[in-house]
């Protein structure tokens, strides 16, 4: 529990400080990370005839000491002490896109109340991806005893963002980023997600 609380505090701080400049960078980052996960969970065991290195490391190897960069959830229907694990990267990377979507939606918003037109669908897409991940774990897809969460989170969050932005007519601007010199993305981030006086860093 303490590890999860500390991890959540760390992730919130990262998402406050690091912002994507546009959807193109986010898409490249997420797709690249998804391919990396897929290779080390599904493909690597067939190439080298061994257990997935990523799954083995996540489970703590032979001593079963899990890394302090995981969220642990009690496994439904499992034995006492059985946990499902979610890596920090499976939260940070989709989270960067979700924050980007929220900032994009409020780029011209002058009212004190932030718009939620992109934030709510993005969160729903993330939850849907998590549910698919846990379903794949239950069905033991791939037979490795673990699942690359980004394999399910990226299609739902990134795919949902692209489809929704296209529907709203924002896809072109979101893809390349705002070119309006009158906007202040850092200032907007401070107002919406409380970055305080710290400048945001673009990935």
């Amino acid at each position: 529990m303490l590890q999860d609380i500390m991890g959540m505090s760390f992730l919130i701080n990262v998402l406050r400080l690091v912002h994507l400049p546009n959807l193109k960078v986010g898409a490249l980052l997420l797709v690249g990370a998804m391919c990396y996960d897929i290779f080390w969970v599904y493909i690597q065991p067939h190439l080298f005839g061994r257990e997935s290195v990523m799954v083995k490391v996540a489970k703590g190897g032979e001593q079963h000491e899990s890394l302090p960069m995981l969220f642990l959830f009690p496994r439904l229907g499992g034995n006492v002490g059985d946990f499902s694990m979610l890596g920090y990267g499976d939260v940070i990377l989709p989270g960067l896109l979700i924050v980007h979507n929220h900032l994009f939606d409020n780029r011209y918003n002058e009212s004190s109340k932030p718009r939620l037109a992109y934030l709510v669908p993005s969160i729903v897409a993330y939850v849907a991806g998590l549910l698919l991940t846990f379903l794949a774990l239950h069905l033991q897809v791939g037979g490795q005893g673990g699942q690359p969460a980004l394999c399910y989170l990226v299609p739902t969050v990134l795919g949902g963002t692209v489809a929704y932005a296209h529907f709203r007519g924002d896809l072109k601007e979101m893809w390349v980023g705002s070119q309006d010199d009158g906007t202040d993305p850092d200032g907007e981030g401070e107002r919406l997600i409380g970055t305080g006086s710290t400048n945001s860093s673009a990935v």
Side-chain angles (χ1 to χ4, degrees), residues 41 51-52 55 59 75 85 137 140-147:
V41 174
E51 179 185 3
S52 166
V55 173
K59 291 181 177 180
R75 182 171 297 177
M85 295 172 288
L137 278 171
Q140 297 184 355
V141 175
Q144 295 297 322
Q147 295 296 320

Side-chain angles (χ1 to χ4, degrees), residues 68-80:
M69 297 186 69
L70 297 167
F71 290 107
L72 300 177
F73 303 94
R75 182 171 297 177
L76 298 177
N79 299 323
V80 177

Side-chain angles (χ1 to χ4, degrees), residues 96-191:
L96 287 173
L97 182 57
I98 293 173
V99 170
H100 167 268
N101 293 347
H102 186 45
L103 294 177
F104 176 86
D105 190 31
N106 287 272
R107 64 200 183 285
Y108 303 128
N109 185 15
E110 298 180 356
S111 68
S112 59
K113 186 176 181 180
R115 297 171 182 165
L116 304 177
Y118 276 96
L119 179 63
V120 173
S122 297
I123 292 175
V124 170
Y126 184 83
V127 172
L130 277 183
L131 293 177
L132 288 175
T133 303
F134 288 124
L135 177 61
L137 278 171
H138 178 72
L139 297 177
Q140 297 184 355
V141 175
Q144 295 297 322
Q147 295 296 320
L150 290 178
C151 181
Y152 307 95
L153 293 171
V154 170
T156 56
V157 178
L158 178 58
T161 295
V162 170
Y164 190 56
H166 177 72
F167 173 77
R168 290 173 58 92
D170 294 331
L171 182 57
K172 183 177 180 180
E173 182 180 358
M174 182 180 281
W175 182 256
V176 299
S178 176
Q179 302 299 322
D180 189 347
D181 293 334
T183 61
D184 180 11
D186 288 343
E188 196 67 28
E190 292 178 10
R191 183 173 70 85

Side-chain angles (χ1 to χ4, degrees), residues 12-93:
I12 290 174
N13 197 45
V14 170
L15 294 177
R16 288 173 61 239
L17 298 176
V18 182
H19 298 160
L20 295 172
N22 51 52
L23 180 59
K24 178 169 62 175
V25 172
L28 290 173
L29 180 66
L30 286 170
V31 172
M34 179 184 69
C35 293
Y36 176 88
D37 267 10
I38 290 174
F39 175 82
W40 286 106
V41 174
Y42 291 144
I43 301 176
Q44 173 260 316
H46 296 288
L47 292 178
F48 303 107
R50 301 176 182 176
E51 179 185 3
S52 166
V53 172
M54 185 174 289
V55 173
K56 186 174 182 179
V57 170
K59 291 181 177 180
E62 298 178 356
Q63 298 181 354
H64 301 288
E65 295 181 1
S66 61
L67 295 174
M69 297 186 69
L70 297 167
F71 290 107
L72 300 177
F73 303 94
R75 182 171 297 177
L76 298 177
N79 299 323
V80 177
D82 286 346
F83 292 93
S84 295
M85 295 172 288
L86 185 68
Y88 286 3
D90 301 326
V91 180
I92 290 179
L93 297 180

